[in-house]
Amino acid sequence: MEQLHRLYNTHVKLLAFDLLSLTQTPSHSPSDPISFSRGGTFFSRAETVGTITSRELKPNKFLKFTVDDGTGCIVCVLWLNHLVSPYFSRCSPPSLHRLYNTHVKLLAFDLLSLTQTPSHSPSDPISFSRGGTFFSRAETVGTITSRELKPNKFLKFTVDDGTGCIVCVLWLNHLVSPNFSRCSPPSVRLIAQMASHFAAEVRLGVVARVRGRITSYRGAVQITVSDVVVERDPNEETLHLLECMSLASKCYN
Amino acid sequence: MESSAIKSGALVSLQDVHQSSPFFKQGASLRVTGKLQEYSVETAIAIVVDGNAKLKINTQHLRDLSFRVGSIYQFIGELLIQPDDEAILQARVGRNVDGIDLNLYHQSLQLLRQFQADHLRTT
């Protein structure tokens, strides 16, 4: 049930004093996913911004550091033992890349030029690459220039950021899809409601920030949408262009 | 590489839309930004300006957009070059962008062109 909470896999932005006060949800079995809660809301991921005030490096094992945002110090552990850890023995090398599950900010012409990494088995996660860097998720900001709705199936739309048009697919078939058959009906309804909300936000001419998994259909790169936010500030597209260019040269290449 | 039938509107300034520009092509998909100088309800033609440059925009296909002289708008559409070499953008989407920092926007376009050129050179 916790996994299906709308914030469960979202990197919630919490102040340190808030994050440090979360309570770990009791698990009923060792295989239950770990979650934390506050007031009935479940979290599994967080985002913090602050000053690094301590740093302890164990080479090839971990980096432990603290982030002080002025309301508390959060201890952060960055594991560096991927190449030897048994936890990764069944992963294909691309999924171990530091950007693998990050919503990378790519300009459309850049995203559309990615190459799908050949998979060695059906269970290998899907990834895309450019110049030795592996990606699985992306974020784009641009103008919605087309919209095709198949009710209760999907919404297909294009996002034009001025450098290309990215096809985005937002699935709307949660209530009938076998992929959700093992989830509780109230939770599936919640996920379906959120998807419907996102679909309603997608209108021709608006600027939207779209995040999701990078996928491929008939050889063409596209985004399978996880969330959509309409950007009303007219400078957001400009800022996204600048961020993409900066990240491409400093982080992604 | 385009992955859909919808063409991307190349980011251009109004100063780029002139006869000797590589963007001045019949059917070119462009995205332009400018201040609304005139609008005719009868013809649905808007005239937007940016500095000394101006461009006509055919807004007949746009919905849910109100036009206010003095506001800044952004349009994506295809360039129609008439027999007298006058260009008009057949807009397919448009929006009011009042509040946009045009200096930052124009500088970003320059950086983007350099970025794309560098990317082409290295791939």
Side-chain angles (χ1 to χ4, degrees), chain B:
Chain B
M1 182 192 301
E2 289 282 340
S3 71
S4 76
I6 304 290
K7 293 229 181 299
S8 169
L11 296 164
V12 298
S13 62
L14 292 186
Q15 287 81 3
D16 291 326
V17 189
H18 58 84
Q19 286 180 21
S20 49
S21 160
F23 298 108
F24 197 81
K25 287 193 176 102
Q26 191 73 270
S29 295
L30 303 177
R31 184 195 301 212
V32 300
T33 307
K35 183 183 288 192
L36 184 66
Q37 183 185 64
E38 274 179 56
Y39 179 70
S40 164
V41 175
E42 288 83 20
T43 62
I45 299 292
I47 297 178
V48 292
V49 300
D50 182 5
N52 294 328
K54 61 168 70 173
L55 183 66
K56 281 187 181 173
I57 314 287
N58 185 339
T59 68
Q60 65 178 346
H61 297 300
L62 302 183
R63 298 288 176 267
D64 301 325
L65 184 62
S66 58
F67 293 96
R68 188 167 51 201
V69 169
S71 282
I72 306 176
Y73 291 86
Q74 192 170 77
F75 300 99
I76 300 176
E78 280 61 48
L79 203 63
L80 172 68
I81 301 172
Q82 294 167 320
D84 60 356
D85 274 347
E86 184 181 32
I88 180 164
L89 188 78
Q90 310 280 82
R92 42 187 166 87
V93 294
R95 64 180 185 131
N96 182 309
V97 291
D98 279 341
I100 192 170
D101 183 335
L102 279 174
N103 282 335
L104 179 66
Y105 180 71
H106 288 136
Q107 285 180 50
S108 301
L109 294 200
Q110 298 305 316
L111 284 172
L112 177 63
R113 284 183 192 164
Q114 186 60 50
F115 178 81
Q116 287 185 284
D118 291 345
H119 188 271
L120 276 173
R121 270 197 292 277
T122 57
T123 53

Side-chain angles (χ1 to χ4, degrees), chain A residues 64-117:
Chain A
K64 183 171 149 186
F65 59 98
T66 49
V67 176
D68 179 351
D69 70 356
T71 71
C73 280
I74 301 171
V75 174
C76 302
V77 176
L78 174 64
W79 290 104
L80 302 171
N81 64 345
H82 309 85
L83 297 178
V84 298
S85 167
Y87 293 117
F88 295 94
S89 59
R90 278 187 283 179
C91 291
S92 68
S95 60
L96 301 175
H97 194 277
R98 63 184 172 85
L99 292 173
Y100 185 70
N101 269 324
T102 302
H103 288 92
V104 290
K105 299 186 189 207
L106 292 176
L107 292 170
F109 85 95
D110 204 353
L111 179 75
L112 296 171
S113 71
L114 297 179
T115 314
Q116 186 164 357
T117 311

Side-chain angles (χ1 to χ4, degrees), chain A residues 163-181:
Chain A
T163 72
C165 281
I166 301 172
V167 172
C168 301
V169 176
L170 172 64
W171 290 103
L172 301 172
N173 64 346
H174 309 85
L175 297 178
V176 299
S177 168
N179 294 327
F180 293 91
S181 59

Side-chain angles (χ1 to χ4, degrees), chain A residues 39-75:
Chain A
T41 309
F42 297 95
F43 309 111
S44 67
R45 297 173 191 265
E47 175 181 311
T48 183
V49 177
T51 307
I52 310 289
T53 51
S54 79
R55 187 180 190 275
E56 179 193 339
L57 175 66
K58 298 279 187 205
N60 298 319
K61 288 188 183 173
F62 62 83
L63 170 69
K64 183 171 149 186
F65 59 98
T66 49
V67 176
D68 179 351
D69 70 356
T71 71
C73 280
I74 301 171
V75 174

